[in-house]
Amino acid sequence: MKNMPLMLAALSSLVILTGCGGSLSASSPPSPAVAQVNLGYGQPLVAVSDVNGDDLNDIVFGDKDGVKLLVNIGNGKFAAPVVIGNASLGYGQPSVAIGDVTGDGLADVIFGDKNGVTVLKNLGENRFEVLR
């Protein structure tokens, strides 16, 4: 299994570490953070998968300001967050998941909140639309 970045989400930040084999321990201290993203206030929601088909795991996260995508650009680096869903997820216990729910071979983004479940259909090239 390839060495995947370890992501720690807490309070209002997402910290991405590489080179720690997916775990932290006293015998394997973490490498320096390669990225730190401010997630705003509330409980951060994070899902990881290859969203754009380049064989690199991207990060989707949601906060009170909406659903955002961090595109993995390689070498443990991520592009700036891009809003892919304008729905406010509020401060409750919403969830975010990634999977091909439309059967077109592209990873769609699914999120739930107090209003129900919403699917963001992947249109390719990091573009999404609400599936109706």
Side-chain angles (χ1 to χ4, degrees), residues 77-89:
K77 297 187 181 350
F78 293 84
V82 176
V83 175
I84 60 172
N86 290 324
S88 174
L89 298 182

Side-chain angles (χ1 to χ4, degrees), residues 1-8 15-32:
M1 180 153 113
K2 72 182 183 182
N3 194 6
M4 294 181 55
L6 176 66
M7 283 153 283
L8 307 171
V15 177
I16 302 162
L17 306 170
T18 60
C20 52
S23 64
L24 291 174
S25 70
S27 62
S28 65
S31 61

Side-chain angles (χ1 to χ4, degrees), residues 16-129:
I16 302 162
L17 306 170
T18 60
C20 52
S23 64
L24 291 174
S25 70
S27 62
S28 65
S31 61
V34 295
Q36 182 166 345
V37 178
N38 181 3
L39 298 179
Y41 297 102
Q43 296 179 351
L45 314 162
V46 179
V48 179
S49 186
D50 179 13
V51 173
N52 57 6
D54 62 1
D55 291 327
L56 298 172
N57 282 322
D58 307 301
I59 300 169
V60 174
F61 69 93
D63 63 16
K64 69 175 187 64
D65 297 321
V67 180
K68 298 171 186 155
L69 170 65
L70 289 171
V71 174
N72 188 335
I73 56 176
N75 296 324
K77 297 187 181 350
F78 293 84
V82 176
V83 175
I84 60 172
N86 290 324
S88 174
L89 298 182
Y91 293 100
Q93 293 275 344
S95 57
V96 174
I98 301 171
D100 180 11
V101 298
T102 59
D104 61 4
L106 299 173
D108 305 306
V109 175
I110 306 95
F111 65 91
D113 62 11
K114 65 181 179 178
N115 298 317
V117 175
T118 300
V119 175
L120 295 174
K121 179 179 173 27
N122 190 337
L123 302 175
E125 299 179 4
N126 303 325
R127 296 178 303 120
F128 294 80
E129 73 178 7

